[in-house]
Amino acid sequence: MRAPDPRTLTRIPPVVTFATGAKLLVRMGLAKNMTREGVRRMSTHPDWPFGPDRPHPYWPLANAEVMETEPFLAFVRAHPVTGRGPDKAPRGGPR
């Protein structure tokens, strides 16, 4: 695996995918932990700014759809990430 370009560790990219957006949120301290599935869950929020009939489109790029970074970060700042936290309790038995 090739080493990441050091510029990608300090600069904000112009566009992000669900996976790179999750990494960016963690890097910027806007989320303690986030995965692409967490960003997908956020995209079900009624105020999500991306998609058809929304203020910002998804852009096809290579094999993925990307979204502009600034509206993505503005959404996260307006709707801070809250989660249930780390899993600490054992699960109950079958019901």
Side-chain angles (χ1 to χ4, degrees), residues 21-68:
K23 290 178 185 177
L24 181 64
L25 294 179
V26 172
R27 189 183 83 194
M28 294 181 69
L30 295 173
K32 184 176 177 186
N33 187 16
M34 180 63 68
T35 64
R36 64 186 165 92
E37 292 304 318
V39 176
R40 285 191 194 286
R41 237 176 270 119
M42 286 185 347
S43 72
T44 62
H45 192 281
D47 294 337
W48 183 249
F50 300 98
D53 303 325
R54 301 289 175 113
H56 303 281
Y58 290 111
W59 297 91
L61 180 67
N63 227 7
E65 289 188 332
V66 296
M67 50 195 153
E68 298 171 58

Side-chain angles (χ1 to χ4, degrees), residues 3-5 9 11 16 25-27 30-31 36 43 48-49 59 62 64 71 76-77 80-81 85 88-89 94-95:
D5 187 329
L9 302 176
R11 296 174 66 189
V16 293
L25 294 179
V26 172
R27 189 183 83 194
L30 295 173
R36 64 186 165 92
S43 72
W48 183 249
W59 297 91
V76 173
R77 287 182 180 120
V81 175
K88 296 181 180 177
R95 294 178 185 223

